[in-house]
Amino acid sequence: MDRPEQHGSSSIPRARRGREEAPRRRGRLRLLAASGVAALSLTAGLATPLNPAPHEAQAADDGEKKTLTVAVAQSVDSLSPFLAQSLVSTSISRLMYDFLTNYSAKDNSTVPAMATGWESSDDKLTWTYTIRDDAKWSDGEKVTAEDAAWTFNTMMEDEAAATANGSFTNNFEKVTAPSADKLVVELKKPQATMTALDVPIVPKHVWEKVDDFSKFNNDQDFPIVGNGPFVLSDYKRDSYVKLTANKDYWRGAPKFDELVFRYYKDQDAAVAALRKGEVSFVAGSPSLTPAQANSLAKADDIKVNEGPGRRFFALAVNPGARTKDGEEFGDGHPALKDAKVREALFTAVDRETVVDRVFQGKAVEGEGYIPPRFGDYFWKPSAEQKRAYDPKRAAKLLDDAGYEKNADGKRVGKDGKPLDFRILCHATDPNDKAVGKYLQEWWGELGIGLKVDCLDNVSDPWSAGEYDLAFDGWSVNPDPDFVLGIHTCAALPTKPKQSSATDNFICDKEFDKLYGQQLAEYDPAKRAGLVKQMQSRLYDSGYMNVLAYPNAVEAYRTDQIKSITTMPEAAGNIYGQDGYWSWWSAVPADDDAGSEGSGGVSTGVVVGIGVAAVLVIGAGVLFGLRRRATSEDRE
């Protein structure tokens, strides 16, 4: 579950984009070319230790800490795994805490993590996990099944603790730990995500002391106790997050001694820092612009990685903010409750221009909610269903909805008020701003006014329902349950303006019915069919307009990083993975042992041993699917 900025990400979700036939063929050719280059092993030169304070890179001396510094353009919303929803925050959680299972970097199949094995009863209502006996918390305490049971039970019993990942436990009936190495989860009904529970497991002996999960951000007492490949050792809001290698991690210690995520409000400044050697890696927000990537590709000691993305870039409509019990709040424009108005807006968006001019071909035209990288679940609207760019049809839809042009060419309602909207924009994302200008032009020709409201913090107005539209975007996991669950009625907040799992306040009973069916369906083909029906329903409702699936475009210094794992290994992303493979496997450029030591793993080696494979993406499907998506906020 990886939200763009998060509102989400948690932050706040962001937008995505798309286009047509000839450009698509060019896109496929570009992806095939990128796939051949971007893969398993990304090589480099000489490692540089970097402190939280940027400085010019210098060769590491014997005994000096080796630090990998990652430039990020997104603020940490919370370091509590119960609250964190932004991509940067959830990425850090994956480094701090183990999950029961993980996804293989090679093919997204399920691999062991905190659990070494699992089995279900014949009726699929009871799942038993075997917890590894060779893991311990960073304070020396042994990791046991009781830690996992306490984590899940807390999410089941405390509403605040369920903020980020409550959808995974909504169907849990009872969770127990009959022994230190056995975790038993009893379900109300079958649940197909039981080998894909993307929930960080926390140490009971530390977290049971927390009084209020809604206010505890896990950012005061360092180092933070965890059981992942890195330990959070220091943090300064909107400045940096420092993590130290966990030398006792059961899978092996990372090769870099420290991993620092440094915040840059300005993406150009982050790119400049990479050129100077002040940071080791930059992904943008979350991708580099085509101009930045093209420029860096010509620089010495810098490698640009591009691959198909796991994110989508979209426009989200505020259909009217409300709580679970129906209490309305916020100030969303009432016209957007009209399906004809929503359809008119999205029919007047030229996805081809967005892909070609904004992303300059480094994206795939948006269609369904799940990016083409996940071939089993990827959905395309039929020719009759698709909302193609058609300004004349958009104008007629507005006329039919009662919003005709006045003498000044402005659309007005029956009350005589002009049809003017606001759209939330991430101030750190140049793509939001560029697309915003096109929207002003396209919708302006229809007689609609648009204010592009670019903010450093979009989460607060988003949660408060104080917006009309927003640039949205989420990172999609190999199992799509999470990003589908954020559009269910159960994801709505309990109280007005309260942070919750909902993306943009959608509550549709038919969508909920399909969600329940896919969650209980274990047959992969049948489940995929239900997921596609959900995307079709979401598409027709007009609350979400997926514009594109941006490629992952990122860069790193080869004189600091010798090798690093992409996900998928054959052609994928480094930043924002469904796991921790990139940072755990990264090898310093001056490491004479190469990638063979106990701490790192060669990018040519399969990461993890497959167990109970779930929803594997075939390499043939991946390579046939064109480029990739990017995004920022919510995880």
Side-chain angles (χ1 to χ4, degrees):
M1 60 176 190
D2 160 29
R3 308 179 174 189
E5 173 208 289
Q6 198 231 1
H7 205 75
S9 234
S10 279
S11 358
I12 292 196
R14 310 177 65 97
R16 297 96 168 148
R17 315 119 200 193
R19 226 184 140 151
E20 242 183 349
E21 196 44 44
R24 282 183 181 161
R25 285 196 291 267
R26 294 196 300 270
R28 290 191 183 95
L29 292 175
R30 290 194 190 98
L31 175 55
L32 290 171
S35 300
V37 178
L40 314 174
S41 200
L42 305 174
T43 56
L46 220 186
T48 297
L50 301 171
N51 297 319
H55 62 280
E56 186 172 354
Q58 299 174 350
D61 296 326
D62 290 342
E64 189 174 2
K65 289 183 178 179
K66 298 175 182 178
T67 302
L68 193 165
T69 302
V70 178
V72 296
Q74 182 185 37
S75 296
V76 170
D77 58 318
S78 177
L79 290 173
S80 164
F82 294 110
L83 303 177
Q85 298 180 58
S86 68
L87 179 56
V88 65
S89 302
T90 54
S91 295
I92 291 169
S93 289
R94 286 182 179 275
L95 298 169
M96 296 169 60
Y97 304 103
D98 257 344
F99 296 8
L100 287 182
T101 62
N102 209 332
Y103 299 106
S104 166
K106 181 180 181 182
D107 57 14
N108 281 349
S109 59
T110 298
V111 297
M114 183 174 172
T116 60
W118 45 88
E119 60 182 6
S120 69
S121 59
D122 291 340
D123 62 5
K124 305 292 186 183
L125 292 178
T126 301
W127 285 76
T128 302
Y129 301 83
T130 299
I131 304 302
R132 66 175 54 257
D133 62 4
D134 58 348
K136 61 182 179 180
W137 298 104
S138 55
D139 62 357
E141 292 288 327
K142 185 177 178 58
V143 174
T144 71
E146 184 59 34
D147 295 305
W150 185 88
T151 298
F152 290 133
N153 279 310
T154 299
M155 293 170 61
M156 294 162 61
E157 298 165 2
D158 190 297
E159 184 179 349
T163 298
N165 301 306
S167 62
F168 291 112
T169 59
N170 285 340
N171 183 46
F172 285 13
E173 181 69 38
K174 184 180 180 182
V175 182
T176 57
S179 64
D181 67 342
K182 291 294 184 228
L183 174 73
V184 178
V185 180
E186 298 175 41
L187 304 172
K188 300 173 185 176
K189 56 185 178 182
Q191 180 170 325
T193 62
M194 296 306 289
T195 56
L197 298 172
D198 294 314
V199 177
I201 304 301
V202 302
K204 175 186 177 182
H205 66 282
V206 174
W207 283 81
E208 63 184 353
K209 302 171 185 176
V210 175
D211 294 326
D212 188 344
F213 288 94
S214 68
K215 297 178 180 179
F216 182 70
N217 283 314
N218 199 27
D219 59 1
Q220 297 299 315
D221 298 320
F222 301 101
I224 304 297
V225 178
N227 65 337
F230 288 90
V231 177
L232 181 61
S233 55
D234 196 9
Y235 166 67
K236 184 176 180 181
R237 182 174 179 81
D238 289 339
S239 183
Y240 65 85
V241 179
K242 182 194 288 186
L243 300 107
T244 304
N246 182 356
K247 301 300 183 182
D248 296 320
Y249 187 54
W250 61 268
R251 199 186 289 274
K255 283 279 191 175
F256 277 94
D257 300 302
E258 289 183 340
L259 175 62
V260 175
F261 290 87
R262 174 161 289 285
Y263 174 72
Y264 286 85
K265 182 177 180 180
D266 181 85
Q267 188 163 311
D268 286 331
V271 170
L274 182 75
R275 288 182 179 279
K276 297 175 184 177
E278 294 174 352
V279 300
S280 316
F281 176 94
V282 62
S285 55
S287 286
L288 299 174
T289 65
Q292 290 168 338
N294 292 338
S295 176
L296 288 173
K298 302 171 185 176
D300 294 335
D301 299 325
I302 291 178
K303 168 73 177 178
V304 174
N305 177 58
E306 179 176 354
R310 58 181 284 235
R311 299 188 71 87
F312 61 80
F313 181 87
L315 300 179
V317 167
N318 177 1
R322 52 187 156 169
T323 62
K324 283 186 174 74
D325 61 8
E327 181 181 354
E328 297 182 355
F329 61 95
D331 60 1
H333 201 299
L336 292 173
K337 294 182 179 182
D338 189 327
K340 288 184 178 179
V341 174
R342 298 195 299 271
E343 184 178 357
L345 291 177
F346 293 163
T347 302
V349 174
D350 187 351
R351 293 179 179 81
E352 184 172 347
T353 292
V354 171
V355 170
D356 287 353
R357 297 187 183 178
V358 176
F359 290 98
Q360 296 182 28
K362 296 181 181 295
V364 181
E365 181 180 352
E367 294 177 304
Y369 194 62
I370 308 297
R373 168 166 162 170
F374 304 104
D376 290 342
Y377 297 111
F378 179 59
W379 171 86
K380 296 166 66 75
S382 65
E384 298 76 22
Q385 185 181 18
K386 185 172 181 177
R387 288 191 294 266
Y389 179 55
D390 189 343
K392 290 184 179 180
R393 173 171 170 73
K396 185 178 185 308
L397 285 166
L398 290 172
D399 289 340
D400 293 344
Y403 294 94
E404 298 183 347
K405 282 188 176 181
N406 62 15
D408 297 324
K410 288 283 297 181
R411 293 279 173 180
V412 295
K414 293 186 171 87
D415 57 4
K417 293 182 179 180
L419 201 57
D420 293 328
F421 297 119
R422 305 157 296 170
I423 185 166
L424 278 177
C425 157
H426 301 81
T428 57
D429 190 341
N431 293 325
D432 282 10
K433 298 173 183 177
V435 175
K437 291 180 180 179
Y438 278 111
L439 294 179
Q440 288 176 321
E441 177 185 338
W442 294 328
W443 293 352
E445 292 174 353
L446 289 175
I448 296 173
L450 179 67
K451 178 185 178 184
V452 181
D453 199 5
C454 294
L455 306 174
D456 291 333
N457 172 20
V458 295
S459 298
D460 289 346
W462 197 301
S463 296
E466 296 171 352
Y467 68 99
D468 300 325
L469 300 105
F471 288 104
D472 194 4
W474 287 79
S475 294
V476 179
N477 293 338
D479 189 293
D481 180 78
F482 179 84
V483 292
L484 297 173
I486 61 178
H487 293 309
T488 61
C489 301
L492 293 173
T494 301
K495 300 177 182 178
K497 301 185 178 183
Q498 180 184 64
S499 177
S500 65
T502 191
D503 184 23
N504 57 321
F505 305 103
I506 296 174
C507 180
D508 173 35
K509 297 299 183 183
E510 182 60 30
F511 184 89
D512 276 21
K513 179 181 177 181
L514 290 168
Y515 176 80
Q517 291 174 350
Q518 68 82 29
L519 183 62
E521 182 55 69
Y522 282 88
D523 182 279
K526 292 180 180 179
R527 185 175 181 223
L530 290 166
V531 169
K532 290 177 181 178
Q533 288 184 51
M534 296 176 71
Q535 294 180 76
S536 179
R537 177 80 180 180
L538 191 61
Y539 184 92
D540 287 342
S541 72
Y543 293 125
M544 292 286 294
N545 183 18
V546 178
L547 301 181
Y549 312 109
N551 290 2
V553 186
E554 49 204 2
Y556 65 94
R557 291 200 63 91
T558 57
D559 57 356
Q560 296 182 28
I561 302 173
K562 175 183 291 186
S563 64
I564 193 166
T565 301
T566 64
M567 185 177 186
E569 286 181 337
N573 56 297
I574 295 172
Y575 179 73
Q577 294 182 355
D578 296 297
Y580 47 64
W581 309 117
S582 55
W583 313 126
W584 172 73
S585 71
V587 178
D590 66 347
D591 191 316
D592 294 334
S595 53
E596 298 301 325
S598 62
V601 61
S602 167
T603 49
V605 176
V606 176
V607 182
I609 301 173
V611 177
V614 283
L615 311 173
V616 180
I617 302 176
V621 174
L622 173 66
F623 283 94
L625 285 177
R626 301 178 47 184
R627 334 230 208 120
R628 156 163 168 20
T630 165
S631 175
E632 189 212 333
D633 271 55
R634 280 180 120 151
E635 196 211 325

mmCIF file of all heavy atoms in Angstrom, residues 515-543:
data_model
loop_
_atom_site.group_PDB
_atom_site.id
_atom_site.type_symbol
_atom_site.label_atom_id
_atom_site.label_comp_id
_atom_site.label_asym_id
_atom_site.label_seq_id
_atom_site.Cartn_x
_atom_site.Cartn_y
_atom_site.Cartn_z
ATOM 1 N N TYR A 515 -16.013 -5.471 -3.554
ATOM 2 C CA TYR A 515 -14.817 -5.537 -2.715
ATOM 3 C C TYR A 515 -14.872 -6.763 -1.806
ATOM 4 O O TYR A 515 -13.883 -7.499 -1.659
ATOM 5 C CB TYR A 515 -14.671 -4.270 -1.883
ATOM 6 C CG TYR A 515 -13.512 -4.319 -0.914
ATOM 7 C CD1 TYR A 515 -12.213 -4.080 -1.354
ATOM 8 C CD2 TYR A 515 -13.706 -4.630 0.427
ATOM 9 C CE1 TYR A 515 -11.135 -4.145 -0.482
ATOM 10 C CE2 TYR A 515 -12.641 -4.696 1.314
ATOM 11 C CZ TYR A 515 -11.358 -4.458 0.858
ATOM 12 O OH TYR A 515 -10.304 -4.534 1.732
ATOM 13 N N GLY A 516 -16.015 -6.978 -1.182
ATOM 14 C CA GLY A 516 -16.172 -8.138 -0.303
ATOM 15 C C GLY A 516 -16.015 -9.447 -1.058
ATOM 16 O O GLY A 516 -15.427 -10.411 -0.540
ATOM 17 N N GLN A 517 -16.507 -9.493 -2.270
ATOM 18 C CA GLN A 517 -16.408 -10.711 -3.069
ATOM 19 C C GLN A 517 -14.965 -11.026 -3.447
ATOM 20 O O GLN A 517 -14.524 -12.175 -3.366
ATOM 21 C CB GLN A 517 -17.273 -10.588 -4.323
ATOM 22 C CG GLN A 517 -18.775 -10.578 -4.030
ATOM 23 C CD GLN A 517 -19.605 -10.300 -5.281
ATOM 24 O OE1 GLN A 517 -19.090 -9.935 -6.335
ATOM 25 N NE2 GLN A 517 -20.921 -10.469 -5.154
ATOM 26 N N GLN A 518 -14.216 -9.990 -3.872
ATOM 27 C CA GLN A 518 -12.829 -10.252 -4.263
ATOM 28 C C GLN A 518 -11.980 -10.637 -3.061
ATOM 29 O O GLN A 518 -11.052 -11.441 -3.169
ATOM 30 C CB GLN A 518 -12.222 -9.032 -4.979
ATOM 31 C CG GLN A 518 -12.002 -7.783 -4.137
ATOM 32 C CD GLN A 518 -10.734 -7.777 -3.306
ATOM 33 O OE1 GLN A 518 -9.740 -8.407 -3.686
ATOM 34 N NE2 GLN A 518 -10.770 -7.088 -2.167
ATOM 35 N N LEU A 519 -12.294 -10.061 -1.901
ATOM 36 C CA LEU A 519 -11.522 -10.356 -0.700
ATOM 37 C C LEU A 519 -11.667 -11.821 -0.294
ATOM 38 O O LEU A 519 -10.729 -12.422 0.229
ATOM 39 C CB LEU A 519 -11.974 -9.446 0.448
ATOM 40 C CG LEU A 519 -11.209 -9.571 1.769
ATOM 41 C CD1 LEU A 519 -9.733 -9.203 1.562
ATOM 42 C CD2 LEU A 519 -11.824 -8.686 2.837
ATOM 43 N N ALA A 520 -12.837 -12.398 -0.553
ATOM 44 C CA ALA A 520 -13.107 -13.775 -0.142
ATOM 45 C C ALA A 520 -12.794 -14.796 -1.232
ATOM 46 O O ALA A 520 -12.970 -15.994 -1.025
ATOM 47 C CB ALA A 520 -14.578 -13.909 0.279
ATOM 48 N N GLU A 521 -12.335 -14.337 -2.397
ATOM 49 C CA GLU A 521 -12.123 -15.237 -3.535
ATOM 50 C C GLU A 521 -10.658 -15.688 -3.620
ATOM 51 O O GLU A 521 -9.762 -14.883 -3.816
ATOM 52 C CB GLU A 521 -12.517 -14.532 -4.836
ATOM 53 C CG GLU A 521 -12.391 -15.394 -6.077
ATOM 54 C CD GLU A 521 -13.155 -16.685 -5.982
ATOM 55 O OE1 GLU A 521 -14.410 -16.647 -5.984
ATOM 56 O OE2 GLU A 521 -12.485 -17.744 -5.878
ATOM 57 N N TYR A 522 -10.423 -16.993 -3.487
ATOM 58 C CA TYR A 522 -9.066 -17.521 -3.533
ATOM 59 C C TYR A 522 -8.637 -17.930 -4.938
ATOM 60 O O TYR A 522 -7.441 -18.071 -5.200
ATOM 61 C CB TYR A 522 -8.929 -18.726 -2.594
ATOM 62 C CG TYR A 522 -8.802 -18.334 -1.145
ATOM 63 C CD1 TYR A 522 -9.924 -18.151 -0.349
ATOM 64 C CD2 TYR A 522 -7.550 -18.132 -0.572
ATOM 65 C CE1 TYR A 522 -9.808 -17.785 0.979
ATOM 66 C CE2 TYR A 522 -7.419 -17.761 0.758
ATOM 67 C CZ TYR A 522 -8.559 -17.586 1.535
ATOM 68 O OH TYR A 522 -8.431 -17.212 2.853
ATOM 69 N N ASP A 523 -9.571 -18.147 -5.828
ATOM 70 C CA ASP A 523 -9.216 -18.502 -7.191
ATOM 71 C C ASP A 523 -8.632 -17.266 -7.880
ATOM 72 O O ASP A 523 -9.328 -16.253 -8.034
ATOM 73 C CB ASP A 523 -10.438 -18.988 -7.962
ATOM 74 C CG ASP A 523 -10.088 -19.420 -9.379
ATOM 75 O OD1 ASP A 523 -9.971 -18.532 -10.254
ATOM 76 O OD2 ASP A 523 -9.946 -20.625 -9.610
ATOM 77 N N PRO A 524 -7.352 -17.289 -8.285
ATOM 78 C CA PRO A 524 -6.702 -16.093 -8.842
ATOM 79 C C PRO A 524 -7.434 -15.489 -10.034
ATOM 80 O O PRO A 524 -7.580 -14.267 -10.119
ATOM 81 C CB PRO A 524 -5.309 -16.597 -9.237
ATOM 82 C CG PRO A 524 -5.066 -17.769 -8.347
ATOM 83 C CD PRO A 524 -6.402 -18.421 -8.203
ATOM 84 N N ALA A 525 -7.892 -16.321 -10.952
ATOM 85 C CA ALA A 525 -8.557 -15.802 -12.149
ATOM 86 C C ALA A 525 -9.893 -15.156 -11.801
ATOM 87 O O ALA A 525 -10.240 -14.084 -12.308
ATOM 88 C CB ALA A 525 -8.758 -16.927 -13.158
ATOM 89 N N LYS A 526 -10.656 -15.796 -10.925
ATOM 90 C CA LYS A 526 -11.953 -15.240 -10.533
ATOM 91 C C LYS A 526 -11.758 -13.943 -9.750
ATOM 92 O O LYS A 526 -12.500 -12.978 -9.929
ATOM 93 C CB LYS A 526 -12.735 -16.249 -9.702
ATOM 94 C CG LYS A 526 -13.198 -17.474 -10.485
ATOM 95 C CD LYS A 526 -13.974 -18.436 -9.591
ATOM 96 C CE LYS A 526 -14.441 -19.652 -10.373
ATOM 97 N NZ LYS A 526 -15.171 -20.610 -9.499
ATOM 98 N N ARG A 527 -10.754 -13.941 -8.890
ATOM 99 C CA ARG A 527 -10.512 -12.721 -8.107
ATOM 100 C C ARG A 527 -10.102 -11.574 -9.029
ATOM 101 O O ARG A 527 -10.551 -10.439 -8.869
ATOM 102 C CB ARG A 527 -9.426 -12.971 -7.063
ATOM 103 C CG ARG A 527 -9.237 -11.770 -6.138
ATOM 104 C CD ARG A 527 -8.252 -12.051 -5.037
ATOM 105 N NE ARG A 527 -8.129 -10.872 -4.171
ATOM 106 C CZ ARG A 527 -6.985 -10.401 -3.707
ATOM 107 N NH1 ARG A 527 -5.839 -11.000 -4.012
ATOM 108 N NH2 ARG A 527 -6.965 -9.341 -2.926
ATOM 109 N N ALA A 528 -9.243 -11.856 -10.001
ATOM 110 C CA ALA A 528 -8.817 -10.828 -10.943
ATOM 111 C C ALA A 528 -10.018 -10.265 -11.701
ATOM 112 O O ALA A 528 -10.099 -9.053 -11.952
ATOM 113 C CB ALA A 528 -7.796 -11.403 -11.917
ATOM 114 N N GLY A 529 -10.960 -11.130 -12.040
ATOM 115 C CA GLY A 529 -12.160 -10.669 -12.731
ATOM 116 C C GLY A 529 -12.976 -9.706 -11.882
ATOM 117 O O GLY A 529 -13.504 -8.704 -12.383
ATOM 118 N N LEU A 530 -13.088 -10.005 -10.588
ATOM 119 C CA LEU A 530 -13.819 -9.123 -9.684
ATOM 120 C C LEU A 530 -13.103 -7.786 -9.511
ATOM 121 O O LEU A 530 -13.735 -6.725 -9.463
ATOM 122 C CB LEU A 530 -13.988 -9.806 -8.325
ATOM 123 C CG LEU A 530 -14.945 -10.994 -8.295
ATOM 124 C CD1 LEU A 530 -14.766 -11.799 -7.010
ATOM 125 C CD2 LEU A 530 -16.399 -10.512 -8.423
ATOM 126 N N VAL A 531 -11.772 -7.832 -9.438
ATOM 127 C CA VAL A 531 -10.994 -6.601 -9.304
ATOM 128 C C VAL A 531 -11.194 -5.723 -10.536
ATOM 129 O O VAL A 531 -11.302 -4.489 -10.440
ATOM 130 C CB VAL A 531 -9.500 -6.917 -9.091
ATOM 131 C CG1 VAL A 531 -8.647 -5.659 -9.215
ATOM 132 C CG2 VAL A 531 -9.288 -7.560 -7.723
ATOM 133 N N LYS A 532 -11.279 -6.316 -11.697
ATOM 134 C CA LYS A 532 -11.506 -5.551 -12.922
ATOM 135 C C LYS A 532 -12.916 -4.950 -12.932
ATOM 136 O O LYS A 532 -13.119 -3.826 -13.402
ATOM 137 C CB LYS A 532 -11.282 -6.442 -14.141
ATOM 138 C CG LYS A 532 -9.822 -6.813 -14.342
ATOM 139 C CD LYS A 532 -9.623 -7.766 -15.507
ATOM 140 C CE LYS A 532 -8.151 -8.140 -15.653
ATOM 141 N NZ LYS A 532 -7.929 -9.118 -16.761
ATOM 142 N N GLN A 533 -13.883 -5.680 -12.399
ATOM 143 C CA GLN A 533 -15.239 -5.121 -12.291
ATOM 144 C C GLN A 533 -15.244 -3.906 -11.375
ATOM 145 O O GLN A 533 -15.945 -2.923 -11.628
ATOM 146 C CB GLN A 533 -16.200 -6.180 -11.745
ATOM 147 C CG GLN A 533 -16.548 -7.294 -12.706
ATOM 148 C CD GLN A 533 -17.578 -8.247 -12.111
ATOM 149 O OE1 GLN A 533 -18.632 -7.820 -11.619
ATOM 150 N NE2 GLN A 533 -17.271 -9.522 -12.123
ATOM 151 N N MET A 534 -14.458 -3.957 -10.306
ATOM 152 C CA MET A 534 -14.372 -2.825 -9.389
ATOM 153 C C MET A 534 -13.767 -1.608 -10.082
ATOM 154 O O MET A 534 -14.223 -0.480 -9.897
ATOM 155 C CB MET A 534 -13.533 -3.200 -8.169
ATOM 156 C CG MET A 534 -14.130 -4.302 -7.312
ATOM 157 S SD MET A 534 -13.044 -4.782 -5.955
ATOM 158 C CE MET A 534 -13.176 -3.325 -4.912
ATOM 159 N N GLN A 535 -12.752 -1.838 -10.894
ATOM 160 C CA GLN A 535 -12.138 -0.731 -11.617
ATOM 161 C C GLN A 535 -13.112 -0.129 -12.623
ATOM 162 O O GLN A 535 -13.151 1.089 -12.818
ATOM 163 C CB GLN A 535 -10.881 -1.216 -12.332
ATOM 164 C CG GLN A 535 -9.766 -1.638 -11.389
ATOM 165 C CD GLN A 535 -8.541 -2.101 -12.146
ATOM 166 O OE1 GLN A 535 -7.785 -1.285 -12.674
ATOM 167 N NE2 GLN A 535 -8.332 -3.407 -12.208
ATOM 168 N N SER A 536 -13.896 -0.989 -13.246
ATOM 169 C CA SER A 536 -14.894 -0.514 -14.206
ATOM 170 C C SER A 536 -15.934 0.354 -13.507
ATOM 171 O O SER A 536 -16.332 1.414 -14.000
ATOM 172 C CB SER A 536 -15.573 -1.708 -14.882
ATOM 173 O OG SER A 536 -16.560 -1.279 -15.795
ATOM 174 N N ARG A 537 -16.350 -0.092 -12.334
ATOM 175 C CA ARG A 537 -17.326 0.655 -11.544
ATOM 176 C C ARG A 537 -16.745 2.017 -11.132
ATOM 177 O O ARG A 537 -17.420 3.051 -11.217
ATOM 178 C CB ARG A 537 -17.706 -0.152 -10.302
ATOM 179 C CG ARG A 537 -18.677 0.534 -9.345
ATOM 180 C CD ARG A 537 -20.081 0.438 -9.825
ATOM 181 N NE ARG A 537 -21.013 1.100 -8.910
ATOM 182 C CZ ARG A 537 -22.322 1.161 -9.106
ATOM 183 N NH1 ARG A 537 -22.868 0.603 -10.174
ATOM 184 N NH2 ARG A 537 -23.104 1.784 -8.253
ATOM 185 N N LEU A 538 -15.500 2.016 -10.695
ATOM 186 C CA LEU A 538 -14.840 3.248 -10.268
ATOM 187 C C LEU A 538 -14.683 4.203 -11.447
ATOM 188 O O LEU A 538 -14.869 5.412 -11.320
ATOM 189 C CB LEU A 538 -13.488 2.917 -9.654
ATOM 190 C CG LEU A 538 -12.744 4.021 -8.903
ATOM 191 C CD1 LEU A 538 -13.565 4.504 -7.714
ATOM 192 C CD2 LEU A 538 -11.386 3.510 -8.427
ATOM 193 N N TYR A 539 -14.369 3.654 -12.594
ATOM 194 C CA TYR A 539 -14.182 4.452 -13.809
ATOM 195 C C TYR A 539 -15.495 5.120 -14.206
ATOM 196 O O TYR A 539 -15.545 6.325 -14.501
ATOM 197 C CB TYR A 539 -13.687 3.537 -14.922
ATOM 198 C CG TYR A 539 -13.344 4.208 -16.228
ATOM 199 C CD1 TYR A 539 -12.041 4.638 -16.491
ATOM 200 C CD2 TYR A 539 -14.299 4.394 -17.224
ATOM 201 C CE1 TYR A 539 -11.703 5.232 -17.697
ATOM 202 C CE2 TYR A 539 -13.975 4.993 -18.429
ATOM 203 C CZ TYR A 539 -12.681 5.410 -18.671
ATOM 204 O OH TYR A 539 -12.356 6.001 -19.864
ATOM 205 N N ASP A 540 -16.567 4.351 -14.208
ATOM 206 C CA ASP A 540 -17.870 4.882 -14.636
ATOM 207 C C ASP A 540 -18.413 5.936 -13.675
ATOM 208 O O ASP A 540 -19.150 6.839 -14.083
ATOM 209 C CB ASP A 540 -18.888 3.744 -14.771
ATOM 210 C CG ASP A 540 -18.624 2.875 -15.992
ATOM 211 O OD1 ASP A 540 -17.899 3.322 -16.897
ATOM 212 O OD2 ASP A 540 -19.137 1.735 -16.030
ATOM 213 N N SER A 541 -18.052 5.826 -12.399
ATOM 214 C CA SER A 541 -18.571 6.776 -11.410
ATOM 215 C C SER A 541 -18.007 8.179 -11.641
ATOM 216 O O SER A 541 -18.624 9.173 -11.267
ATOM 217 C CB SER A 541 -18.226 6.313 -9.993
ATOM 218 O OG SER A 541 -16.843 6.472 -9.729
ATOM 219 N N GLY A 542 -16.820 8.265 -12.230
ATOM 220 C CA GLY A 542 -16.220 9.562 -12.517
ATOM 221 C C GLY A 542 -15.614 10.258 -11.319
ATOM 222 O O GLY A 542 -15.287 11.446 -11.390
ATOM 223 N N TYR A 543 -15.424 9.542 -10.227
ATOM 224 C CA TYR A 543 -14.791 10.166 -9.060
ATOM 225 C C TYR A 543 -13.269 10.180 -9.181
ATOM 226 O O TYR A 543 -12.591 10.939 -8.517
ATOM 227 C CB TYR A 543 -15.172 9.417 -7.779
ATOM 228 C CG TYR A 543 -16.630 9.522 -7.422
ATOM 229 C CD1 TYR A 543 -17.403 8.377 -7.220
ATOM 230 C CD2 TYR A 543 -17.248 10.770 -7.281
ATOM 231 C CE1 TYR A 543 -18.752 8.475 -6.878
ATOM 232 C CE2 TYR A 543 -18.592 10.861 -6.952
ATOM 233 C CZ TYR A 543 -19.334 9.718 -6.759
ATOM 234 O OH TYR A 543 -20.661 9.813 -6.435
#
